[in-house]
Amino acid sequence: MKKILLTNDDGFDSNGLLALKEALSDIAQVLIVAPAREKSACGHGLCLTKPLKFIKVDDDFYKLDDGGPTDCVYLALNAIYKDGKKPDLVISGINLGSNMGEDTTYSGTLAGAMEGVIQGVPSIAISQVMRDKNLSSEFDFALAKKVIRELVEKIFNNSFPLGDRKLLNVNVPQISIEQFKGYKITQKGYRLYTNNAHLNRDPRGNEYYWLGLQPLAWRERGGVSSDFAATKEGYVSITPITLNLTSYEDIAMLEGWLGE
């Protein structure tokens, strides 16, 4: 039976993670290693300053205290899969909220999948666009479960479509299965940010800041449709992501600039 490692950044008790498990448990041997608490927007970081501990939640289900998604994948692949046989897939999600455009650089969901491909395992990040993540307890993730199952079955029946150190970033619109128009292969849109740092005072008068959620604003880059546009139009967005951040188009220019 195929093996899948699941993680997320919303925490081990997230409804999105449990929906992901439910969607895949009958077609693969699923192991979950997820953060003990929410680690949203933690990026691709490892915890190097304190020890980490696996806490068993259930059979093949662990929370990692106090690790993030990268720690979860790194330790699962190197400590739990002791026989040297790594899983066939790493899947990170289902995130409560989108991960599109430059948000992918902050995303703990993407970080889990990044660590998977760094460790040589094909990986998928999947996120659910949500108008209000506080209502996730009332959400059934029906379309997201259908999507991830279809993608995993396609991979198992054929192969993973990308090369080394590349992952699939999947974003699912908040619509019903009946409204689902299909899949679009997309590029990352140009995410537009505003200043959303809120200044407050505690009861003793000390100032503190709380970072709020950004409105989902973007502009198109030209050429291929963006992840933002696809989900707005009722499509599931699939964006191929590479970990090679080299700006090849600027190499020759920089060589000339340095020689001036």
Side-chain angles (χ1 to χ4, degrees):
M1 198 172 190
K2 298 286 190 179
K3 297 181 180 180
I4 301 176
L5 170 63
L6 304 184
T7 194
N8 73 346
D9 72 354
D10 290 312
F12 77 99
D13 54 354
S14 166
N15 290 322
L17 177 66
L18 301 179
L20 185 59
K21 177 187 178 185
E22 182 180 319
L24 301 173
S25 289
D26 66 330
I27 61 172
Q29 182 181 339
V30 171
L31 170 69
I32 299 176
V33 179
R37 53 192 61 84
E38 184 176 351
K39 294 287 183 177
S40 294
C42 66
H44 187 221
L46 283 169
C47 181
L48 302 177
T49 58
K50 55 186 176 182
L52 300 168
K53 181 170 63 174
F54 289 111
I55 301 172
K56 187 172 183 178
V57 178
D58 203 344
D59 292 341
D60 294 325
F61 191 167
Y62 299 88
K63 60 182 179 180
L64 190 65
D65 192 19
D66 179 37
T70 306
D71 300 302
C72 291
V73 174
Y74 182 92
L75 283 176
L77 294 179
N78 290 285
I80 296 180
Y81 291 96
K82 293 180 180 179
D83 57 2
K85 182 172 174 53
K86 293 180 178 178
D88 299 281
L89 274 176
V90 169
I91 304 178
S92 186
I94 300 168
N95 190 64
L96 306 181
S98 64
N99 277 301
M100 302 185 287
E102 284 77 10
D103 279 353
T104 56
T105 63
Y106 297 108
S107 171
T109 304
L110 267 290
M114 288 178 186
E115 191 60 30
V117 296
I118 286 175
Q119 299 287 330
V121 182
S123 299
I124 301 172
I126 179 167
S127 303
Q128 173 65 61
V129 180
M130 300 196 76
R131 288 182 282 275
D132 187 349
K133 66 182 292 184
N134 294 316
L135 299 178
S136 67
S137 61
E138 303 171 13
F139 196 72
D140 64 4
F141 298 93
L143 178 56
K145 289 192 289 186
K146 169 183 166 64
V147 164
I148 195 61
R149 188 180 178 95
E150 288 182 354
L151 293 177
V152 168
E153 287 179 336
K154 187 171 182 64
I155 290 168
F156 285 171
N157 291 332
N158 297 283
S159 62
F160 191 71
L162 304 179
D164 292 343
R165 302 203 174 198
K166 295 178 181 179
L167 61 97
L168 296 175
N169 183 34
V170 180
N171 281 275
V172 181
Q174 189 176 351
I175 57 178
S176 68
I177 291 176
E178 292 72 28
Q179 295 170 305
F180 173 43
K181 292 183 178 179
Y183 296 95
K184 273 195 177 181
I185 306 304
T186 59
Q187 65 178 333
K188 294 199 298 180
Y190 191 113
R191 183 78 154 90
L192 300 177
Y193 295 98
T194 60
N195 179 8
N196 211 16
H198 299 278
L199 174 62
N200 296 280
R201 293 182 182 274
D202 67 21
R204 295 176 182 239
N206 299 308
E207 292 184 351
Y208 68 91
Y209 287 87
W210 193 283
L211 300 184
L213 294 176
Q214 295 283 338
L216 203 59
W218 77 94
R219 74 166 186 254
E220 295 294 290
R221 297 182 189 273
V224 179
S225 176
S226 76
D227 40 14
F228 294 100
T231 55
K232 183 179 180 182
E233 294 165 4
Y235 294 90
V236 167
S237 164
I238 303 179
T239 308
I241 302 290
T242 177
L243 300 197
N244 185 351
L245 301 180
T246 305
S247 180
Y248 290 102
E249 64 189 23
D250 293 315
I251 289 177
M253 179 277 292
L254 282 175
E255 288 174 340
W257 173 78
L258 206 58
E260 290 177 354

